[in-house]
Amino acid sequence: MTDLIASLAGLALQASGALGGAPEQEHLFQARQMQALSLGWHIVIVCFGVAFPAIVLFMEALHLRTGDPLYRVIAKRWSKAMLVLFAVGVVSGTILSFELGMLWPEFMATFGDVFGLGFALEGFSFFVEAIFIAIYVYGWDRLPAWVHFLTGIPVAIAGVTGSMFVLMVNGWMNAPTGFSLEDGRVTDVRPVDALLNDHVWHELVHMLLAGYMVAGFCVAGVYAWGLLRGRRDRYHRVAFLVPFTVAALASPAQVVVGDWAARQVGETQPVKLAAFEGLGSTQAGASLHLGGWYRDGEVIGGIELPRMLSLLAAHDPDAVVAGLDSVPPDERPPVNVVRLAFQAMVGIGSALALLGVLFVVAWWRRRGPPASPWFHRAAVLAGPAAVVALICGWIVTEVGRQPWIVYRVMRVEEAVTAADGIPVGYGFVAAVYAALSAVAVWMLRRVARAPLDEEVEGASTLPRRPA
């Protein structure tokens, strides 16, 4: 009840302009684009921080259990790629930190006490990850085998916890709680309640699975490309199968978690759900449309599935689903942007889940992966497709919350800076990310092209046998 009162008070205050004011900023859209660029670039790197260390450790564990040197060769090579991605992630993460304070000062000044604990804990996770990833990569050939393996465990844990604390803040922006509002001031701050909000758990599980899909399919795609070019040695087969299996198992689970997330959004952010489907008016037995274009309160040109939206949102084909008309026009997100991103995310996620199921069934029936070149072509495409689905999912979450930066409490235009020079900063940040992308690609290619024999003598001539 306290949280409801806080939300209602926030609505009244923002309507009167008392919450943070509304600074004049003619470049608000460019400010949002700059933030979107940084988040869209960084979230891909985060996926590797969340999932890649665990995949590397799994490969090293296979070496410790079997004594097979090939597993160690692969783990060692992947750890170098992991270090490269961590380094570029430090740069993009630092840019993000500055942008939050410089672009959205009213947001940080008003609510920093509420969610600041999440960023503080994320910083602690970052330092743990930085310390142990250095020890892990430097420790090859210098530490006893089991000691070296143990130094990698904090890297994997810190990658997950760092992501979790950031998602707690993002979940709070979607479901604000843990504070009260009195005369435009935030009072009765309860940081733990704020971080343990209603959105954090489905966002966390959704993101973890997305991380394993992006990292697994991207890494496997590199070796699928090698297999298509005739490099069918054991190194390529093992380096393909392990990450692909991880991603293939995560993909069908993501479909189930996606349903959980959509129903949670339907309960707490019904307007965002209405934007997902282009539902103009509140109605019982709401239909779902595949494709089409939203215009004048309805979807034109799509394939209609009667009552399906009510069934998916409430597991009841006759359930009432709130439409966009449940709020004034100036409180609705840009429907077609959210809807197209949502449909792309669901379409790509379903295709990747189908690919994962086909892989598992083939393995169960013939004790091996599909041998068709078409399967390997699909595996090559799965990595970029998973990244596109990830970005679309982020657009659905963030653009679907518009016009709010803190849902139904503070609008984006109330949070933005009044400073000049945003277009200049936008251009500079875009140039930095272009350079950072070029450096990352160049360094990863160097890691990938380094001869195996320089790392473990004879590794590339090991006899073939099932992985």
Side-chain angles (χ1 to χ4, degrees):
M1 179 60 75
T2 303
D3 298 332
L4 176 61
I5 293 173
S7 297
L8 293 175
L11 282 173
L13 288 167
Q14 66 83 23
S16 64
L19 186 58
E24 293 292 332
Q25 179 51 263
E26 61 176 321
H27 300 297
L28 173 61
F29 187 57
Q30 287 88 341
R32 291 176 56 195
Q33 286 181 316
M34 192 194 317
Q35 189 73 70
L37 173 64
S38 295
L39 288 169
W41 202 96
H42 188 70
I43 197 172
V44 178
I45 302 299
V46 168
C47 287
F48 286 90
V50 166
F52 204 20
I55 298 175
V56 174
L57 283 177
F58 179 77
M59 191 65 80
E60 187 177 7
L62 289 177
H63 163 66
L64 294 176
R65 188 175 68 86
T66 65
D68 189 330
L70 181 59
Y71 297 128
R72 184 179 182 277
V73 167
I74 297 172
K76 186 175 182 181
R77 173 165 293 209
W78 285 356
S79 70
K80 295 176 182 176
M82 187 171 72
L83 184 62
V84 171
L85 294 170
F86 177 80
V88 296
V90 170
V91 178
S92 59
T94 302
I95 293 174
L96 268 175
S97 300
F98 279 106
E99 284 180 344
L100 283 173
M102 296 175 70
L103 292 177
W104 318 106
E106 292 297 332
F107 168 63
M108 299 296 287
T110 305
F111 297 107
D113 289 346
V114 182
F115 59 75
L117 176 63
F119 284 149
L121 294 174
E122 192 275 340
F124 181 77
S125 294
F126 164 74
F127 285 117
V128 171
E129 187 177 9
I131 292 169
F132 280 93
I133 198 171
I135 296 173
Y136 184 77
V137 175
Y138 184 75
W140 288 106
D141 305 320
R142 294 179 174 85
L143 295 174
W146 276 104
V147 173
H148 179 265
F149 175 80
L150 292 175
T151 62
I153 293 177
V155 180
I157 294 175
V160 173
T161 56
S163 177
M164 179 181 70
F165 293 129
V166 172
L167 288 172
M168 284 179 166
V169 177
N170 184 265
W172 175 83
M173 294 167 69
N174 285 294
T177 186
F179 66 97
S180 300
L181 287 171
E182 295 180 3
D183 300 326
R185 294 183 301 107
V186 173
T187 61
D188 188 25
V189 175
R190 304 180 301 281
V192 175
D193 290 346
L195 297 183
L196 299 178
N197 56 79
D198 290 340
H199 271 235
V200 64
W201 301 118
H202 73 261
E203 285 195 24
L204 175 62
V205 178
H206 207 37
M207 183 63 200
L208 292 180
L209 289 175
Y212 278 96
M213 290 174 64
V214 169
F217 281 132
C218 285
V219 174
V222 173
Y223 298 96
W225 178 251
L227 291 168
L228 280 172
R229 300 183 68 181
R231 298 171 184 169
R232 295 186 172 273
D233 52 83
R234 186 165 173 261
Y235 167 75
H236 279 80
R237 289 188 292 128
V238 172
F240 166 75
L241 282 176
V242 170
F244 192 87
T245 301
V246 170
L249 294 176
S251 299
Q254 187 69 299
V255 175
V256 178
V257 175
D259 175 69
W260 171 27
R263 284 187 288 110
Q264 182 69 28
V265 168
E267 293 178 7
T268 59
Q269 296 181 315
V271 178
K272 181 186 286 187
L273 180 68
F276 287 178
E277 301 297 344
L279 184 66
S281 58
T282 302
Q283 57 189 270
S287 301
L288 182 148
H289 292 79
L290 300 178
W293 184 259
Y294 177 82
R295 189 172 64 191
D296 299 331
E298 61 180 347
V299 176
I300 299 173
I303 301 173
E304 182 178 359
L305 303 177
R307 300 179 182 275
M308 186 59 71
L309 179 55
S310 290
L311 181 63
L312 292 176
H315 291 178
D316 178 1
D318 298 319
V320 175
V321 180
L324 293 161
D325 63 351
S326 61
V327 297
D330 68 342
E331 294 183 12
R332 302 172 188 171
V335 177
N336 280 313
V337 174
V338 177
R339 187 168 179 274
L340 292 177
F342 179 74
Q343 297 223 346
M345 175 190 68
V346 172
I348 293 173
S350 300
L352 294 176
L354 178 61
L355 181 65
V357 170
L358 291 175
F359 172 79
V360 172
V361 170
W363 193 278
W364 175 65
R365 294 187 61 181
R366 57 190 298 270
R367 308 302 299 170
S372 168
W374 286 105
F375 169 71
H376 291 123
R377 293 188 184 107
V380 170
L381 294 175
V387 172
V388 172
L390 173 77
I391 299 296
C392 288
W394 166 76
I395 291 173
V396 166
T397 299
E398 298 304 303
V399 181
R401 193 181 59 243
Q402 300 302 312
W404 309 100
I405 191 169
V406 182
Y407 188 61
R408 298 182 73 81
V409 176
M410 175 181 272
R411 288 175 177 264
V412 173
E413 63 260 31
E414 295 173 325
V416 72
T417 178
D420 296 329
I422 285 181
V424 176
Y426 185 18
F428 176 76
V429 168
V432 170
Y433 281 119
L436 199 59
S437 300
V439 170
V441 171
W442 176 71
M443 294 185 70
L444 289 174
R445 284 172 64 89
R446 283 183 60 88
V447 172
R449 291 181 173 183
L452 288 183
D453 290 344
E454 290 185 4
E455 299 174 353
V456 176
E457 185 177 356
S460 61
T461 59
L462 290 173
R464 291 188 177 189
R465 62 183 179 184

